[in-house]
Amino acid sequence: MREEFLQSFGNNVRKIRESKGLTQEALAFMAGLSRSYYTELELGKRNPSLLNIKKLADALYVSLPSLLTF
């Protein structure tokens, strides 16, 4: 269950990132995250903190709930 949730979250973030025409590197920079951390997040290998989810939402100009709706 944990792995499925993290993969779903990562897939959702990737879809939003791609819809905005951003690379992983660009979004990681905009959110103040390392590229390697961000890559692992998209792959479902990281369990991001609420603060990092907020950073991603702000960088993508989306609401927090939109990142958690899959």
Side-chain angles (χ1 to χ4, degrees):
M1 170 138 166
R2 177 180 188 264
E3 291 81 17
E4 289 176 17
F5 180 80
L6 293 176
Q7 283 185 322
S8 293
F9 177 77
N11 288 337
N12 192 41
V13 174
R14 184 183 73 249
K15 287 177 187 173
I16 295 169
R17 172 184 61 79
E18 289 175 345
S19 76
K20 299 199 177 258
L22 295 170
T23 64
Q24 287 184 340
E25 185 174 20
L27 180 55
F29 177 78
M30 291 167 62
L33 305 171
S34 73
R35 185 178 183 280
S36 60
Y37 175 89
Y38 179 78
T39 299
E40 289 179 353
L41 188 140
E42 261 193 24
L43 294 172
K45 295 181 179 181
R46 288 278 184 166
N47 186 5
S49 70
L50 185 56
L51 292 175
N52 285 339
I53 295 171
K54 173 74 169 121
K55 288 179 184 180
L56 288 169
D58 289 348
L60 289 167
Y61 299 100
V62 297
S63 66
L64 282 171
S66 69
L67 288 182
L68 300 172
T69 303
F70 356 106

